[in-house]
Amino acid sequence: MATSTVKKVNSADAPQGAMGQKYLASGKSVSMRLWQGEPAGESCPATERQYEVVGYVISGEAELNLAGQTIFLEPGDCWVVPAGARHSYHIRKEFTAIEATCPPAHVHARDEQPTGRE
């Protein structure tokens, strides 16, 4: 018989990562994180991660640079960054978004480890 565990995470109490992300609910193969109130003008250097990301913009604006393209993100937009894809972000207007990562970004410090190509 399969067992199940119900998890509830309140974002106000969620653990925070080194880049400012809040870690929300997490399962064995997928997890959620929240980027809340990221200030305009912030940029992240180009990086590659060991997980796939799908995201949804709640508020603000950002540019996602991926595969030689610049994708403008606004409220209601979704995006995908494949695992291993070189990408960067630039925040244009204070930004809040939810992302799901597969496998979970926080496991084995995947969020904190540079790929060696940054």
Side-chain angles (χ1 to χ4, degrees):
M1 175 161 86
T3 61
S4 64
T5 302
V6 176
K7 294 181 183 179
K8 176 184 174 182
V9 177
N10 184 308
S11 64
D13 302 323
Q16 190 165 342
M19 297 179 291
Q21 72 279 33
K22 289 186 176 183
Y23 294 114
L24 304 176
S26 180
K28 290 181 181 180
S29 60
V30 67
S31 66
M32 294 176 64
R33 61 186 179 183
L34 172 66
W35 300 92
Q36 189 171 31
E38 294 294 307
E42 286 287 311
S43 294
C44 77
T47 189
E48 299 169 22
R49 298 294 183 177
Q50 301 173 20
Y51 48 80
E52 180 176 51
V53 175
V54 295
Y56 177 81
V57 180
I58 296 170
S59 65
E61 297 175 3
E63 296 174 12
L64 167 60
N65 299 297
L66 173 68
Q69 298 179 36
T70 299
I71 301 159
F72 295 96
L73 300 172
E74 299 175 323
D77 289 346
C78 300
W79 73 93
V80 175
V81 176
R86 192 147 184 86
H87 66 285
S88 65
Y89 293 94
H90 176 74
I91 308 301
R92 298 166 44 106
K93 184 177 176 183
E94 186 176 289
F95 192 69
T96 297
I98 293 277
E99 292 181 330
T101 64
C102 179
H106 67 283
V107 175
H108 304 299
R110 289 182 185 101
D111 260 351
E112 314 308 327
Q113 296 175 354
T115 62
R117 297 185 221 171
E118 296 179 359

